[in-house]
Amino acid sequence: MYLKRKYISLLYVLIIALTVGCSNSMEEIVYNFPLERDVVEQVILEKQLTWRIEDEQSLNEGQSNFSLRDEDNVFCSINSTDGEWGRVIILQFHFPLDYTTEQIQQFNKEEWPSIFELTCTFYGNSKNAKKIYKEFLGYLKGRNSNEYDYGYFTKRIDDTHFRVKLAPFTNNSNYYQIATLEILNSETYEKRAFEFAKGWINRAKRQGIKVLDNISVSDIIEIKTEDEELRLIVEGHLEDIQELKNIPKNLQEVLTHHAHKDDYFTAKLVDDTSSMDVFVLATSLNSRELGQDRSHHINYYTKGKLSVINFSPLNE
């Protein structure tokens, strides 16, 4: 009886030890940002990628940038930032001019899953890598790179935003290549919206497009101008947000690329004066966040009085 009790006790201790050990082994590693060289090399080795570091730079405090190449001379930069602008990692890719259709097909099939896992591992959420990649593949099913030009996949899990910019492969537009893959938190997402909006304004001015600031919704409805296109900044919030079943003809006519229905949705822009129908570029902000008062930066097309919201920074 004593030996039996002793055996049961030892078995119980062993089970607890194994459980704790498995729990610890499953614990997510969160690497300090900006990433350091030994961490980048270690994770790349663990993921069995053939990338080698060619150069390392730190242009600003709290930032690191690594330039890498693989065996086929595909270039990748890994930029990680922390501090004032929050936690963000960005991977950018460039392919050799002589890269073939067969090579891009092989790269997309074999390297894409590892790239998603690599980026998520660096950021500290590798547990989401397979889910994000599955969603990404689902996004690709609905589009053809030869028909829809660029693609912008965006997905959010809790406080983490995933963004992928796709570009048609240079040597065969039937295939996409990943141009940029980035992960950032909500704080960073909101801060970067301000920077993107500033760039949007500056580009418009360089192009000679009028920018009308502090304009109300009722003013927009009454706009009369000979300009074909304007830039508007309107403070308000969004209501009645809806997905598109297809791209309306009037929207496609004013866009410079062939848009996909998943790249836009519809909403009502509301302020103290009135409300109006708008198109909104796809975002990973949720309905509650878009219902807050924001500075909506709008491309306004006078033909058809069409409004497309590009950026919506929070009002300070």
Side-chain angles (χ1 to χ4, degrees):
M1 181 65 71
Y2 170 77
L3 288 176
K4 184 176 181 180
R5 285 200 303 269
K6 185 175 181 181
Y7 173 78
I8 292 172
S9 297
L10 287 172
L11 184 61
Y12 178 77
V13 170
L14 180 61
I15 291 172
I16 293 296
L18 287 172
T19 302
V20 173
C22 290
S23 176
N24 289 338
S25 65
M26 295 294 288
E27 188 175 339
E28 187 79 59
I29 299 174
V30 179
Y31 295 104
N32 291 328
F33 275 25
L35 293 169
E36 296 183 355
R37 186 185 185 101
D38 60 340
V39 170
V40 175
E41 291 176 332
Q42 172 194 331
V43 175
I44 285 175
L45 183 64
E46 290 174 355
K47 303 305 176 186
Q48 298 181 333
L49 293 169
T50 61
W51 302 92
R52 64 186 186 279
I53 295 176
E54 286 191 338
D55 191 21
E56 175 184 353
Q57 294 180 333
S58 295
L59 301 177
N60 301 299
E61 186 177 354
Q63 179 190 40
S64 68
N65 188 288
F66 295 91
S67 299
L68 305 93
R69 290 190 188 274
D70 72 359
E71 294 175 338
D72 292 327
N73 207 30
V74 177
F75 173 85
C76 171
S77 70
I78 300 177
N79 187 304
S80 59
T81 306
D82 202 359
E84 179 183 359
W85 293 105
R87 183 179 174 85
V88 57
I89 183 169
I90 304 173
L91 272 66
Q92 292 180 295
F93 295 89
H94 297 280
F95 294 83
L97 294 176
D98 60 352
Y99 213 63
T100 66
T101 297
E102 291 73 22
Q103 284 177 301
I104 197 68
Q105 286 179 289
Q106 183 177 2
F107 183 93
N108 294 354
K109 181 180 179 180
E110 298 180 1
E111 301 294 331
W112 275 4
S114 299
I115 289 169
F116 273 78
E117 187 176 355
L118 175 76
T119 313
C120 288
T121 298
F122 281 138
Y123 200 80
N125 52 11
S126 61
K127 63 182 183 298
N128 291 326
K130 290 183 179 179
K131 180 178 181 179
I132 292 297
Y133 185 62
K134 184 178 179 180
E135 296 258 0
F136 172 70
L137 292 181
Y139 169 87
L140 285 175
K141 281 184 179 179
R143 63 179 58 226
N144 174 291
S145 58
N146 194 31
E147 182 179 2
Y148 290 105
D149 305 320
Y150 292 89
Y152 297 91
F153 169 75
T154 179
K155 176 67 178 178
R156 179 177 181 176
I157 298 179
D158 300 325
D159 188 46
T160 307
H161 302 253
F162 303 82
R163 294 157 54 104
V164 182
K165 178 182 177 182
L166 292 158
F169 175 51
T170 306
N171 297 327
N172 188 334
S173 59
N174 288 315
Y175 298 95
Y176 274 125
Q177 64 186 52
I178 290 181
T180 306
L181 190 160
E182 60 182 317
I183 306 177
L184 58 164
N185 58 27
S186 292
E187 179 186 7
T188 308
Y189 193 99
E190 294 284 11
K191 287 179 177 179
R192 291 185 70 197
F194 280 102
E195 298 304 311
F196 288 142
K198 288 178 184 177
W200 176 86
I201 293 170
N202 292 333
R203 283 193 303 275
K205 290 179 177 179
R206 288 195 302 269
Q207 295 167 359
I209 300 174
K210 291 180 182 177
V211 179
L212 303 182
D213 200 351
N214 296 322
I215 185 172
S216 69
V217 172
S218 60
D219 290 335
I220 296 173
I221 296 171
E222 300 300 323
I223 284 179
K224 293 181 180 179
T225 178
E226 294 182 358
D227 294 293
E228 293 183 359
E229 186 176 348
L230 299 171
R231 297 287 187 267
L232 313 176
I233 303 175
V234 184
E235 293 190 5
H237 67 276
L238 298 183
E239 298 179 0
D240 193 23
I241 300 168
Q242 302 287 336
E243 294 181 352
L244 285 175
K245 293 182 179 180
N246 51 61
I247 288 289
K249 184 178 178 180
N250 62 341
L251 175 60
Q252 185 57 69
E253 286 177 347
V254 300
L255 297 175
T256 58
H257 65 285
H258 192 173
H260 190 274
K261 66 180 182 64
D262 293 340
D263 293 336
Y264 295 87
F265 55 86
T266 61
K268 285 193 178 295
L269 174 58
V270 182
D271 69 1
D272 294 336
T273 67
S274 189
S275 67
M276 62 181 289
D277 293 328
V278 294
F279 293 102
V280 185
L281 195 63
T283 173
S284 50
L285 294 175
N286 58 36
S287 297
R288 178 188 61 79
E289 291 163 333
L290 290 172
Q292 297 173 298
D293 283 332
R294 293 174 176 269
S295 295
H296 299 283
H297 291 57
I298 299 172
N299 285 17
Y300 181 77
Y301 303 94
T302 54
K303 181 182 178 181
K305 296 185 176 182
L306 202 65
S307 297
V308 180
I309 295 177
N310 285 265
F311 308 104
S312 300
L314 274 171
N315 290 334
E316 293 182 298

